Amino acid sequence: MKTPDIPEFEEARLETLRSLGILDSAPEERFDRFARMAKRLFDVPIALVSIVDENRQWFKSCFGLDVRETSRDISFCGHAILGKEVFVVPDTLSDERFADNPLVLSDPHIRFYAGCPLRAPNGHALGTLCIIDQKPRSFDREDMSALADLASMIEREVAAVQMATLDELTKISNRRGFVMLAQSSLGIITRQKIPAALVFIDLDKFKLINDNFGHAEGDLALNAFAGIIKDACRDSDIFARMGGDEFAILLTNSSQEQAEEVVERICRALDKYNQDVDRGYDVSLSYGIASFDAEKHDSIEALLAEGDSLMYKFKRNLE
């Protein structure tokens, strides 16, 4: 058996995947319909919309299987995302890469596989639309074209998800995207008893920048601040522009003290930005840090509310 190779720019691919908030999300009809169409069109027992994570392939849509994920090491989709064309294995028992694969030798007894890579708008492969049969079969160019057409429709849905969860100005997550990603993370944090902290940030007197220097200048400052947050955060952290001049960061596996250190890094970078650009005003911030408590915070909204309250307390103390 051959284990799938790791794609070039894997970290960027995984970052793109995490930013979409698709992993471990509930089934959705807009994705399910294309898996059903593929199953019916090609008359196969199994059709999947498979997402390839760091260590597993997880099924956003799944028809014909009783499991929701398998190890990436034995996945067919891990091979399929390495290329740009439809990946076809007409007979697994005649292919040395898969002949002794556990998914071939035992349930679901894969004998035929065809998977078309699904790509995010930035070009990174997320997973596949794939079909599976328990008997060998041929798959001609017309078949590959039809599967690719269905995959392109799924890619349009993925692009719609990204547009709905991305802040148009700063190109980081918006409130909707943050809530979706952070709520999913809180489930993992709670189950594994991982510490986490939320930082709620408000840029001070930002309206004066817009009023005195114009909204284009305000947009420039918001973009710069979003970049500062991005540079200060780890890949595992979730951050967003919540609206207007408010931002939030969910720091996983972080204590209150570690969250304070992140804020200090942001403040130092912001001071340097103000000094370097010297645009006639300084950008400053107020913040609140709320440590996650599973008994007190039953949702990300509850954690946001506490962070927001602490931020306003901080701001009043400065006045």
Side-chain angles (χ1 to χ4, degrees), residues 78-276:
H79 292 271
I81 65 169
L82 298 174
K84 296 183 178 180
E85 307 299 327
V86 176
F87 181 78
V88 181
V89 184
D91 184 356
T92 57
L93 293 182
S94 300
D95 192 318
E96 63 182 11
R97 295 171 298 177
F98 303 104
D100 58 349
N101 187 297
L103 300 177
V104 174
L105 299 179
S106 57
D107 196 54
H109 298 287
I110 299 173
R111 288 294 300 276
F112 164 84
Y113 171 92
C116 184
L118 300 173
R119 297 189 177 275
N122 63 8
H124 287 299
L126 306 173
T128 72
L129 169 63
C130 66
I131 55 173
I132 292 169
D133 206 339
Q134 292 163 332
K135 60 180 184 293
R137 59 186 292 170
S138 59
F139 206 67
D140 60 24
R141 284 193 170 275
E142 188 174 336
D143 292 327
M144 286 189 275
S145 179
L147 187 64
D149 286 343
L150 288 176
S152 69
M153 296 179 195
I154 296 175
E155 289 176 338
R156 284 196 286 273
E157 293 295 339
V158 171
V161 170
Q162 186 175 49
M163 290 301 296
T165 59
L166 201 67
D167 179 58
E168 186 175 353
L169 174 65
T170 62
K171 300 300 183 288
I172 64 175
S173 290
N174 58 18
R175 184 184 184 93
R176 179 180 178 182
F178 180 86
V179 168
M180 184 170 62
L181 289 169
Q183 188 62 53
S184 177
S185 292
L186 284 190
I188 299 171
I189 288 166
T190 301
R191 286 194 301 272
Q192 299 185 5
K193 295 181 172 57
I194 299 171
L198 181 131
V199 182
F200 198 99
I201 297 172
D202 180 77
L203 299 183
D204 296 328
K205 300 178 181 178
F206 197 79
K207 184 176 183 297
L208 293 178
I209 298 177
N210 286 326
D211 291 346
N212 295 331
F213 296 89
H215 285 277
E217 189 67 29
D219 289 349
L220 182 69
L222 288 169
N223 263 315
F225 187 69
I228 287 171
I229 287 181
K230 187 174 183 179
D231 289 342
C233 290
R234 304 162 300 178
D235 289 342
S236 59
D237 299 328
I238 301 168
F239 52 89
R241 180 188 177 201
M242 304 301 284
D245 54 9
E246 294 181 335
F247 295 79
I249 309 169
L250 180 64
L251 301 163
T252 57
N253 201 21
S254 295
S255 64
Q256 175 93 14
E257 292 75 17
Q258 288 169 318
E260 291 280 1
E261 292 173 4
V262 172
V263 173
E264 289 175 10
R265 286 203 301 272
I266 290 173
C267 289
R268 287 196 299 270
L270 188 57
D271 287 343
K272 186 176 188 304
Y273 169 79
N274 289 327
Q275 182 178 356
D276 289 347

